[in-house]
Amino acid sequence: QTLFMLGEDSNTCLSIRARQKATNRGLLSILLNGSCRVLGVKDSSGRLTTRAVVRLLIDDLTLTPVLLVGVPYGGVGSADDSSYVEIYDQAGELGRLLRLPVLYSRVPSESEYYM
């Protein structure tokens, strides 16, 4: 359900509405790829307010699995935004649990990541 709501909650090109039929192909690729997951922060009503897609990939240099965290979307988007901190904390925890290195599309600043 969270994957289908990626674009609906934030009203982006990943929404499943007919008006987005030319741009929501990215959602299909995320749905069909079993190595993609979503990290997110929801508000009190259950709507996804901030999210980042995480992909399990193989590092070309080391030939070992890694987690690639996409650029977070939503929230305020500043260093003060606690939802970005939560995304980076979730990514760090996922990497710890899976014992995999975590790579970031956009490297968080020290003020955004405290794990």
Side-chain angles (χ1 to χ4, degrees), residues 26-82:
L27 178 60
L28 185 58
S29 69
I30 292 171
L31 292 171
L32 293 176
N33 188 339
S35 65
C36 292
R37 295 295 182 264
V38 176
L39 302 176
V41 177
K42 294 183 177 183
D43 64 13
S44 59
S45 68
R47 292 177 57 98
L48 197 61
T49 59
T50 307
R51 53 129 167 117
V53 176
V54 179
R55 292 172 172 84
L56 177 64
L57 302 173
I58 301 294
D59 185 335
D60 288 338
L61 296 176
T62 63
L63 300 178
T64 58
V66 296
L67 294 173
L68 177 65
V69 180
V71 176
Y73 185 86
V76 176
S78 69
D80 305 349
D81 189 359
S82 63

Side-chain angles (χ1 to χ4, degrees), residues 1 7 13 16 23 25 35 37-38 73 80 94 104 107 113:
Q1 180 182 3
C13 63
I16 54 178
T23 60
R25 294 181 193 115
S35 65
R37 295 295 182 264
V38 176
Y73 185 86
D80 305 349
L94 183 61
Y104 298 93
V107 179
Y113 188 68

Side-chain angles (χ1 to χ4, degrees), residues 76-85 106 109-114:
V76 176
S78 69
D80 305 349
D81 189 359
S82 63
S83 60
Y84 275 35
V85 173
R106 177 187 158 281
S109 67
E110 288 183 32
S111 63
E112 292 177 309
Y113 188 68
Y114 296 105

